[in-house]
Short mmCIF file of all heavy atoms in Angstrom, two decimals:
data_model
loop_
_atom_site.label_atom_id
_atom_site.label_comp_id
_atom_site.label_asym_id
_atom_site.label_seq_id
_atom_site.Cartn_x
_atom_site.Cartn_y
_atom_site.Cartn_z
N THR A 583 7.13 8.40 -11.66
CA THR A 583 7.45 8.69 -10.35
C THR A 583 6.09 9.12 -9.63
O THR A 583 5.39 9.85 -10.17
CB THR A 583 8.52 9.80 -10.23
OG1 THR A 583 9.66 9.45 -10.75
CG2 THR A 583 8.79 10.08 -8.68
N VAL A 584 5.91 8.53 -8.42
CA VAL A 584 4.68 8.89 -7.71
C VAL A 584 4.95 9.92 -6.61
O VAL A 584 5.96 9.85 -5.94
CB VAL A 584 4.24 7.64 -6.87
CG1 VAL A 584 2.99 7.99 -6.08
CG2 VAL A 584 3.92 6.50 -7.85
N PHE A 585 4.22 10.98 -6.63
CA PHE A 585 4.40 12.10 -5.65
C PHE A 585 3.08 12.19 -4.93
O PHE A 585 1.99 12.19 -5.43
CB PHE A 585 4.63 13.33 -6.44
CG PHE A 585 5.86 13.55 -7.21
CD1 PHE A 585 5.99 13.22 -8.48
CD2 PHE A 585 6.97 13.88 -6.53
CE1 PHE A 585 7.18 13.32 -9.20
CE2 PHE A 585 8.23 14.00 -7.16
CZ PHE A 585 8.25 13.71 -8.54
N ALA A 586 3.30 12.31 -3.52
CA ALA A 586 2.09 12.44 -2.66
C ALA A 586 2.54 13.24 -1.45
O ALA A 586 3.74 12.96 -0.91
CB ALA A 586 1.59 11.18 -2.29
N THR A 587 1.76 14.12 -0.97
CA THR A 587 2.01 14.82 0.29
C THR A 587 1.39 14.07 1.38
O THR A 587 0.17 13.73 1.38
CB THR A 587 1.53 16.26 0.23
OG1 THR A 587 2.10 16.96 -0.86
CG2 THR A 587 1.79 17.11 1.56
N LEU A 588 2.07 13.70 2.48
CA LEU A 588 1.65 12.87 3.48
C LEU A 588 1.55 13.77 4.76
O LEU A 588 2.70 14.09 5.28
CB LEU A 588 2.51 11.61 3.77
CG LEU A 588 2.84 10.71 2.60
CD1 LEU A 588 3.68 9.47 3.00
CD2 LEU A 588 1.55 10.35 1.86
N ASP A 589 0.50 13.89 5.26
CA ASP A 589 0.32 14.70 6.56
C ASP A 589 0.14 13.58 7.59
O ASP A 589 -0.85 12.92 7.76
CB ASP A 589 -0.98 15.59 6.43
CG ASP A 589 -1.34 16.25 7.63
OD1 ASP A 589 -0.48 16.17 8.68
OD2 ASP A 589 -2.25 16.98 7.73
N MET A 590 1.29 13.45 8.39
CA MET A 590 1.32 12.52 9.39
C MET A 590 0.36 12.62 10.52
O MET A 590 -0.06 11.70 11.17
CB MET A 590 2.67 12.35 9.91
CG MET A 590 3.75 11.82 9.01
SD MET A 590 3.14 10.27 8.32
CE MET A 590 4.34 10.05 6.92
N SER A 591 -0.30 13.83 10.71
CA SER A 591 -1.32 14.05 11.67
C SER A 591 -2.53 13.29 11.22
O SER A 591 -3.33 12.95 12.14
CB SER A 591 -1.63 15.59 11.89
OG SER A 591 -2.18 16.06 10.66
N THR A 592 -2.70 12.95 9.99
CA THR A 592 -3.90 12.12 9.51
C THR A 592 -3.86 10.84 10.26
O THR A 592 -4.93 10.28 10.47
CB THR A 592 -3.80 12.01 8.03
OG1 THR A 592 -3.72 13.20 7.40
CG2 THR A 592 -5.04 11.16 7.48
N VAL A 593 -2.65 10.26 10.43
CA VAL A 593 -2.53 8.83 11.01
C VAL A 593 -3.03 9.02 12.55
O VAL A 593 -3.86 8.16 12.87
CB VAL A 593 -1.09 8.47 11.04
CG1 VAL A 593 -0.97 7.16 11.90
CG2 VAL A 593 -0.57 8.21 9.61
N ASP A 594 -2.59 9.99 13.27
CA ASP A 594 -3.14 10.20 14.64
C ASP A 594 -4.57 10.40 14.62
O ASP A 594 -5.28 9.88 15.49
CB ASP A 594 -2.35 11.31 15.30
CG ASP A 594 -0.86 11.13 15.38
OD1 ASP A 594 -0.48 9.94 15.57
OD2 ASP A 594 -0.13 12.06 15.24
N ALA A 595 -5.09 11.27 13.76
CA ALA A 595 -6.53 11.51 13.73
C ALA A 595 -7.37 10.22 13.40
O ALA A 595 -8.45 10.06 14.04
CB ALA A 595 -6.92 12.58 12.68
#
Side-chain angles (χ1 to χ4, degrees):
T583 302
V584 178
F585 292 95
T587 300
L588 306 183
D589 179 357
M590 292 303 167
S591 67
T592 303
V593 174
D594 298 324

